[in-house]
Amino acid sequence: MAKQYEGPVRIKDIADRAGVSTGTVDRVIHGRGRVSEENERKVKEAIASLDYEPNILARSLARNSNFEIGIVIPKFSTDSFWMSQVNGIEKALKNIRDFGFSIRFLEFDDQVHGDMLKHLTTIQTEKFDGLLVAPTITDDAHVFLNTCEEQDIPYMLVNTNLEREDDLLVGYVGQNSFQSGLLAAKLLSLVTSNKGVLSIFHMEKEVDNSEHMLQKEKGFISFFKEKKRKPQDVLVHRLPIMTTTTNFKNSVKKFLKANPDVSGIFVTTSRIHFLSKVLKKLEREDIVIVGFDLIKENVAALNSYEKMFLINQNPVLQGYAGLMSLFDFLLKKKAAKRLQYLPLDVITKENLSAYLDTNSTIFEHYK
Amino acid sequence: MAKQYEGPVRIKDIADRAGVSTGTVDRVIHGRGRVSEENERKVKEAIASLDYEPNILARSLARNSNFEIGIVIPKFSTDSFWMSQVNGIEKALKNIRDFGFSIRFLEFDDQVHGDMLKHLTTIQTEKFDGLLVAPTITDDAHVFLNTCEEQDIPYMLVNTNLEREDDLLVGYVGQNSFQSGLLAAKLLSLVTSNKGVLSIFHMEKEVDNSEHMLQKEKGFISFFKEKKRKPQDVLVHRLPIMTTTTNFKNSVKKFLKANPDVSGIFVTTSRIHFLSKVLKKLEREDIVIVGFDLIKENVAALNSYEKMFLINQNPVLQGYAGLMSLFDFLLKKKAAKRLQYLPLDVITKENLSAYLDTNSTIFEHYK
DNA sequence: AAAAATTGTGTGTACGCACACACAGAATTG
DNA sequence: CAATTCTGTGTGTGCGTACACACAATTTTT
């Protein structure tokens, strides 16, 4: 009773079996109407009994349609983290270009509140088929995404997750910020042998408007709640972004004078390289530090500061997976997983070179 | 001077530019000959200057051929490492099925010398378009791969790298065994603070026939050469695979009696869970151990033995990347990178759950 | 030296499959 | 009976592939 293999079923086979033309079958498949009930029934029966599945290659080729995806991320020309994201995005693009996908960058300055909104008119005027958005500034992002909803444009979030009830929200890809805070706490705890006081540095202007930083803080603190250490053992310190290096150095100096028993510091951004330099100058290299992202300044810091860990968010993979999810959503009409968390890679001076060697190659051939 | 975007370059564009027909362009692309030097030069110039890349959809559709790939790996029904490889392979297959790819498993027992060779007649009789081979047993593998050469079947190596001068060798994907030995040495060295003697356990029947184990040993030892520690500080110990657990326990016991100052052991296989159990029984949990692979027995070991590290080879990614490389090679006629090293993930009790959470999702949507 | 056969070089075009438009014929309406 | 709507067919398109064929240049045969 095994079904005999007759090669892939084509639309022509359906047409023959139902006694109609391929055009009619096509209209049934796409619900374009203009088919008598009688024929529609026959065609559906034929599709079911022959177990027809359209050839996705021929479909894409024939449709000959273009999908334009807008990439809404912080300006990347000067930022190696976002440059890596673009890297991943372009790798994904290479894979899906033949399917008619093209991209357009809509950069904004994430240090300027409201700058993201300058792209609102572009979104409204041109018709994008999808957007890849890094909602780094929470309130701006919500305004922006509300407009996407109005324009009926599906969007994918990267790097920072926002909770929104929205059918057009394809999903989120990035790190689990809460988990990364937890991991940072574990690392500091392990290496300092639970001695001294630990601290969180938020080195960023708008902390309360940065969802991922808040999540990292929560994760960090929750580790100590579990371990029954007193909450007083954790200091949260908010530093505005440095206007001058001297400025920053002085505020760290003041902080250490007030808290001489600090044994570890968790920096919730990629700006940890500023801290490592200052600690060296202040001769406080006994302090263990944990920060984020394998940008080049941090690679240098890792090599010169002994007690330092980096947690990498794998920006290349983020960009790659982000665009691919939109592809899946638009072409296969397949919902992406709502939350795609990427691995938290721990990098030390020791495994740095192996990490750099290997991670560049894993996308070589994704199709 | 920016290059204007004119839509995808088609084969017709090349033909126009070179002043020939599409057929001629096609013959140049595929090296089918019958093209004058003059025209060949013109076509190649046009391809280069227009940055032509063939539309992979149209190519597959037109070629209308099937590719059958043989998967030659150790039997996976009872082995969770190879099961994960199959997992990755099947994920890759899902992506490339529409391009006419199908697979067929040719399993062998890697604990039985020569078992791999039972598939030789299959290779010779049926015509495979490509093979994905795990050359775990060196001499068997060479015999096998020589036959591939005779049959003109391109092959991709996974998990274990072999040096072969061979145009049909597409590439290798897996870990850098030498580097992983180096990393193991670093970890042990760090945690034991350079006190005591370190040892390598090869828990496998045929060590000299397992290229990756030999490489791990070399990497491990080279670390200490750099650090100017005396070679005597490293003991290499070869254990045959255990016939009975008691048997194994006794040989470990004997080893520890002879070498009471051992502070760390590097196990070059995934069988580290046997060792952790024995050390617990012998009350030598002071010994730090490093081993390979996140198989379920090792996950359990990780949770019950404090001083243990695992280096993961990411089998899912290996299988995935292996098959995708063959796809690239056969369809895009693009040579894969000869060596694709995957990241060396260090896993401890601490980051285990985050690792398990995240790593499953990254293939969701690769196309 | 002429004719025939062989080789070299190149063009034209029918696939593969799904899509979508132009159009034809039938049924329905006014 | 003409005009409109509905239903369905035919066919050109997207792009690359690969075969059939044409024509020229060269070699071989007579």
Side-chain angles (χ1 to χ4, degrees):
Chain A
M1 250 348 238
K3 197 176 63 180
Q4 192 130 10
Y5 185 70
E6 304 271 5
V9 178
R10 303 174 339 278
I11 219 166
K12 183 83 175 58
D13 301 320
I14 306 296
D16 288 350
R17 169 120 176 187
V20 297
S21 75
T22 60
T24 305
V25 175
D26 187 63
R27 265 172 288 118
V28 171
I29 290 172
H30 295 95
R32 274 193 267 272
R34 305 197 327 172
V35 180
S36 64
E37 275 185 27
E38 163 88 12
N39 279 341
E40 179 158 353
R41 199 187 44 69
K42 277 190 200 162
V43 168
K44 282 186 172 163
E45 189 276 330
I47 288 175
S49 72
L50 292 179
D51 200 23
Y52 169 75
E53 286 214 25
N55 182 323
I56 189 174
L57 275 65
R59 168 170 288 179
S60 293
L61 190 61
R63 185 185 282 132
N64 194 28
S65 58
N66 287 318
F67 294 96
E68 181 156 37
I69 308 294
I71 312 289
V72 188
I73 58 172
K75 60 180 175 11
F76 50 85
S77 43
T78 54
D79 180 318
S80 80
F81 178 78
W82 289 106
M83 190 60 112
S84 295
Q85 287 254 1
V86 170
N87 217 307
I89 289 168
E90 284 176 342
K91 273 168 180 154
L93 181 63
K94 219 170 155 182
N95 291 341
I96 63 179
R97 206 175 26 197
D98 287 338
F99 291 86
F101 278 72
S102 61
I103 61 173
R104 181 149 143 217
F105 289 104
L106 304 174
E107 293 176 77
F108 63 92
D109 189 337
D110 64 339
Q111 298 303 319
V112 177
H113 195 272
D115 193 59
M116 183 188 221
L117 303 179
K118 74 188 173 195
H119 293 301
L120 279 181
T121 49
T122 316
I123 298 296
Q124 286 162 326
T125 317
E126 338 246 328
K127 58 284 152 269
F128 285 94
D129 300 283
L131 293 172
L132 188 64
V133 182
T136 48
I137 303 175
T138 309
D139 54 3
D140 282 357
H142 278 300
V143 174
F144 190 88
L145 296 175
N146 288 341
T147 309
C148 292
E149 272 193 86
E150 279 164 28
Q151 298 291 317
D152 210 41
I153 308 171
Y155 58 88
M156 181 81 196
L157 302 178
V158 283
N159 199 55
T160 307
N161 189 21
L162 293 183
E163 281 308 325
R164 288 173 64 90
E165 283 303 324
D166 190 345
D167 286 346
L168 294 168
L169 169 52
V170 177
Y172 162 73
V173 59
Q175 76 173 186
N176 183 328
S177 298
F178 184 89
Q179 277 281 351
S180 73
L182 207 65
L183 178 60
K186 280 179 183 171
L187 289 171
L188 286 182
S189 197
L190 227 78
V191 179
T192 62
S193 310
N194 284 323
K195 291 188 189 93
V197 171
L198 302 179
S199 173
I200 306 174
F201 276 25
H202 290 302
M203 295 171 67
E204 169 81 50
K205 248 196 283 190
E206 307 208 36
V207 179
D208 293 318
N209 221 339
S210 297
E211 192 54 33
H212 61 289
M213 291 169 62
L214 297 175
Q215 287 296 322
K216 284 169 185 170
E217 181 178 319
K218 276 188 194 164
F220 193 86
I221 288 173
S222 94
F223 176 80
F224 296 101
K225 280 194 186 133
E226 274 178 35
K227 300 285 171 183
K228 310 276 186 255
R229 279 189 76 176
K230 279 162 274 155
Q232 299 96 288
D233 287 349
V234 180
L235 298 171
V236 178
H237 198 69
R238 302 194 168 183
L239 297 170
I241 186 167
M242 307 73 65
T243 40
T244 63
T245 330
T246 333
N247 209 310
F248 174 66
K249 187 179 165 185
N250 286 336
S251 58
V252 174
K253 209 170 183 173
K254 208 183 294 173
F255 172 80
L256 290 178
K257 189 163 273 177
N259 307 281
D261 55 344
V262 164
S263 62
I265 298 173
F266 172 39
V267 180
T268 57
T269 67
S270 63
R271 286 188 246 281
I272 187 173
H273 56 277
F274 290 112
L275 180 63
S276 77
K277 274 179 221 134
V278 169
L279 290 179
K280 265 178 104 75
K281 278 199 191 119
L282 298 176
E283 297 189 336
R284 284 301 306 269
E285 291 183 67
D286 58 298
I287 296 175
V288 186
I289 58 179
V290 179
F292 285 91
D293 301 338
L294 206 57
I295 60 177
K296 59 176 183 298
E297 297 92 334
N298 286 345
V299 170
L302 212 48
N303 280 321
S304 68
Y305 192 94
E306 196 66 29
K307 299 191 169 180
M308 169 170 170
F309 292 92
L310 276 183
I311 298 175
N312 194 35
Q313 328 200 36
N314 210 331
V316 184
L317 192 48
Q318 274 188 38
Y320 185 88
L323 185 48
M324 291 309 289
S325 293
L326 276 170
F327 168 75
D328 271 5
F329 182 79
L330 292 172
L331 207 65
K332 304 193 191 165
K333 314 219 159 146
K334 187 180 80 177
K337 212 165 161 168
R338 170 65 183 87
L339 296 172
Q340 296 177 59
Y341 290 131
L342 299 184
L344 303 172
D345 300 325
V346 178
I347 300 160
T348 70
K349 195 179 183 175
E350 263 62 46
N351 65 352
L352 173 65
S353 68
Y355 190 85
L356 290 176
D357 273 5
T358 59
N359 267 285
S360 57
T361 74
I362 61 173
F363 301 94
E364 274 310 315
H365 47 253
Y366 283 121
K367 156 99 239 90
Chain B
M1 249 349 234
K3 197 176 61 179
Q4 192 130 10
Y5 184 70
E6 304 272 5
V9 178
R10 304 175 335 280
I11 216 165
K12 184 81 175 59
D13 301 319
I14 305 296
D16 289 350
R17 169 121 177 187
V20 297
S21 75
T22 60
T24 304
V25 176
D26 187 63
R27 263 173 288 118
V28 171
I29 290 172
H30 296 93
R32 274 194 268 271
R34 306 197 328 174
V35 180
S36 64
E37 276 184 27
E38 162 90 13
N39 279 341
E40 178 157 354
R41 198 187 44 68
K42 277 191 200 160
V43 169
K44 282 186 172 163
E45 189 276 329
I47 287 176
S49 73
L50 294 178
D51 199 23
Y52 170 73
E53 288 214 24
N55 183 322
I56 192 167
L57 273 66
R59 167 172 287 181
S60 297
L61 192 61
R63 184 182 281 133
N64 193 30
S65 58
N66 288 317
F67 295 97
E68 181 157 35
I69 309 293
I71 312 289
V72 188
I73 58 172
K75 62 180 177 5
F76 50 84
S77 44
T78 55
D79 181 317
S80 80
F81 178 78
W82 289 106
M83 190 60 113
S84 295
Q85 288 251 3
V86 170
N87 217 307
I89 289 167
E90 284 176 343
K91 271 168 180 153
L93 181 62
K94 219 171 155 181
N95 291 342
I96 63 181
R97 213 172 19 201
D98 284 337
F99 292 86
F101 278 72
S102 61
I103 62 174
R104 181 149 142 216
F105 288 105
L106 304 173
E107 293 176 77
F108 63 93
D109 188 337
D110 64 340
Q111 298 304 317
V112 177
H113 196 272
D115 193 59
M116 185 190 219
L117 303 179
K118 73 187 174 196
H119 293 300
L120 279 181
T121 50
T122 317
I123 297 296
Q124 286 162 328
T125 318
E126 339 246 325
K127 59 284 152 267
F128 286 94
D129 300 284
L131 292 173
L132 188 65
V133 182
T136 49
I137 304 175
T138 309
D139 55 3
D140 282 358
H142 278 300
V143 174
F144 190 88
L145 296 175
N146 288 341
T147 309
C148 291
E149 272 193 85
E150 280 163 29
Q151 299 291 316
D152 209 41
I153 308 171
Y155 56 90
M156 180 81 196
L157 302 178
V158 283
N159 198 56
T160 307
N161 190 19
L162 293 184
E163 281 309 324
R164 286 174 66 90
E165 283 303 323
D166 190 346
D167 286 346
L168 294 167
L169 169 52
V170 177
Y172 163 72
V173 59
Q175 77 172 185
N176 184 330
S177 298
F178 184 88
Q179 277 281 350
S180 72
L182 209 65
L183 179 60
K186 280 180 185 169
L187 288 172
L188 286 181
S189 197
L190 227 79
V191 179
T192 61
S193 309
N194 283 325
K195 291 188 189 94
V197 173
L198 302 179
S199 174
I200 306 175
F201 275 26
H202 291 302
M203 296 169 68
E204 170 80 51
K205 249 195 284 192
E206 308 207 38
V207 178
D208 293 316
N209 222 339
S210 297
E211 192 53 34
H212 61 288
M213 290 169 62
L214 297 175
Q215 287 297 320
K216 285 169 186 170
E217 181 178 319
K218 277 188 193 161
F220 193 87
I221 288 172
S222 93
F223 176 80
F224 297 102
K225 281 194 186 133
E226 275 177 36
K227 299 287 170 181
K228 312 273 187 254
R229 280 189 74 178
K230 280 161 274 158
Q232 299 96 290
D233 287 349
V234 180
L235 299 172
V236 177
H237 197 70
R238 300 192 170 185
L239 297 170
I241 186 167
M242 307 73 66
T243 40
T244 64
T245 330
T246 332
N247 209 309
F248 174 66
K249 189 180 165 185
N250 286 337
S251 58
V252 173
K253 208 171 183 173
K254 208 184 293 174
F255 172 82
L256 291 177
K257 188 163 272 178
N259 307 282
D261 54 345
V262 163
S263 62
I265 298 172
F266 172 38
V267 180
T268 57
T269 67
S270 63
R271 287 187 245 282
I272 187 173
H273 56 278
F274 290 112
L275 180 63
S276 76
K277 274 181 222 133
V278 169
L279 290 178
K280 266 180 103 76
K281 279 201 189 116
L282 298 176
E283 297 189 336
R284 284 300 306 268
E285 291 183 65
D286 58 298
I287 296 175
V288 186
I289 57 178
V290 178
F292 284 92
D293 301 337
L294 205 56
I295 60 176
K296 59 176 183 299
E297 296 91 335
N298 285 345
V299 170
L302 212 49
N303 279 319
S304 67
Y305 192 94
E306 195 67 29
K307 298 189 170 180
M308 170 173 171
F309 292 93
L310 276 184
I311 298 175
N312 194 36
Q313 328 198 35
N314 210 332
V316 184
L317 193 47
Q318 273 188 39
Y320 186 89
L323 185 48
M324 292 309 289
S325 293
L326 277 170
F327 169 77
D328 270 6
F329 182 79
L330 292 171
L331 208 65
K332 304 192 191 164
K333 312 217 160 148
K334 187 180 82 179
K337 211 165 164 171
R338 169 66 184 86
L339 297 172
Q340 296 178 58
Y341 290 131
L342 299 184
L344 302 173
D345 300 325
V346 178
I347 300 160
T348 70
K349 195 179 181 173
E350 263 60 46
N351 64 353
L352 174 65
S353 68
Y355 190 85
L356 291 176
D357 273 6
T358 57
N359 267 285
S360 58
T361 72
I362 61 175
F363 301 94
E364 275 310 316
H365 48 252
Y366 284 122
K367 153 105 242 82

